[in-house]
Amino acid sequence: MAKIKPSQGAPYARIMGVGGYRPTRVVPNEVILETIDSSDEWIRSRSGISTRHWASPEETVTAMSVEAAGKAIADAGLTPEQIGGVIVSTVSHFKQTPAVATEIADKIGANRPAAFDISAGCAGFGYGLTLAKGMVVEGSAEYVLVIGVERLSDLTDLEDRATAFLFGDGAGAVVVGPAQEPAIGPTVWGSEGDKSETIKQTVAWTEYRDGTVDKFPAITQEGQAVFRWAVFEMAKVAQQALDAAGISAADLDVFIPHQANMRIIDSMVKTLKLPEHVTVARDVETTGNTSAASIPLAMERLLATGQAKSGDTALVIGFGAGLVYAATVVTLP
């Protein structure tokens, strides 16, 4: 019986560079209030959101991803030709096939990399990061580009008082490459499919196609149920990620949760008993909920503004539709 040669990968993997792209149009709450019966004060108190970015027709999923990817590759000190894998997490690319990752890989000038899309909602960045880490350590790619990108304005029902104010557009990207010491911790991830109805697309594409419904599909959610799940269950997952990495909350420099809602973020900080010195990402205030893009966008902003620095230890956690989640501890690039 022949023996298969073992993989020749790196000992560990790390995030080497990060990049982001926010559409040029900034949409204040006043615009949202044109179609729902609410107030700026109510939106801010319930979500912490004051503005969000909405993409123009030219700011496609591909175009935004290419911009974010270019910044991440440059930040990593690499060239596009060195990228051996492209993973794109999105729920708002409306072509079932081919994967938008293949188009992005071509447009950035990568040289025939592995390229595929994943659908893991707001936990998509964590899923992609974990897959990229595996590719680098396993040896199937030396450098992997992970992109979270959304045009959620295309899936927003502007008459839905529960969600019309939540969503924004944008793209965030990181490059994962080899490391000589651990810089991406074990991932704590999973799903709770029995709660899948709490965040979902309103109707299937086929129902819209067949004329069963005349309203384009949108994302809807049961706000209170999602809030309770995120605050209580995801704090437990975050603690499990800290335990898996062998550190405590006191060892953290930065906390980057999915930017779903400011109240959820603040409640998680309290439940985890994070010390005052830990910088907490609150990008949701001006960016809104960008699903798979929210963590890399928040990471990029913290580094760009000096609120976080290279080498900081950060806990990242994403959670959303499915319900799915993924948390890990990383060293910032």
Side-chain angles (χ1 to χ4, degrees), residues 26 44 49 92 95 101 122 140 151 161 164 175 204 206 211 217 232 239 252 258 260-261 300 312 333:
V26 177
R44 288 173 184 262
I49 298 171
S92 48
K95 287 185 180 179
C122 303
S140 60
R151 274 183 56 118
R161 190 173 184 272
V175 174
T206 49
F232 297 108
Q239 184 59 55
L252 284 176
H258 164 49
N261 179 303
E300 186 263 351
D312 278 354

Side-chain angles (χ1 to χ4, degrees), residues 195-325:
K195 300 179 180 68
S196 61
E197 290 295 301
T198 56
I199 306 175
K200 63 181 181 179
Q201 184 171 304
T202 49
V203 296
W205 300 115
T206 49
E207 294 180 64
Y208 182 73
R209 178 198 66 189
D210 297 340
T212 308
V213 296
D214 58 8
K215 198 168 187 178
F216 193 77
I219 296 174
T220 187
Q221 69 176 29
E222 299 173 14
Q224 287 301 313
V226 172
F227 180 85
R228 289 192 299 270
W229 176 76
V231 169
F232 297 108
E233 297 303 319
M234 292 306 97
K236 296 176 187 177
V237 171
Q239 184 59 55
Q240 290 169 13
L242 290 174
D243 295 341
I247 67 172
S248 69
D251 298 315
L252 284 176
D253 300 303
V254 185
F255 179 45
I256 312 177
H258 164 49
Q259 301 294 293
N261 179 303
M262 194 75 79
R263 291 171 63 211
I264 291 175
I265 294 170
D266 290 340
S267 294
M268 290 182 71
V269 168
K270 184 177 180 180
T271 302
L272 288 167
K273 298 179 180 178
L274 295 185
E276 287 288 330
H277 75 263
V278 176
T279 297
V280 179
R282 292 189 170 88
D283 193 46
V284 66
E285 180 182 0
T286 56
T287 306
N289 180 342
T290 56
S291 189
S294 79
I295 290 176
L297 277 174
M299 183 184 295
E300 186 263 351
R301 175 162 281 174
L302 288 176
L303 289 166
T305 58
Q307 296 176 74
K309 63 183 185 301
S310 175
D312 278 354
T313 299
L315 169 63
V316 299
I317 179 170
F319 44 86
L323 294 169
V324 296
Y325 54 86

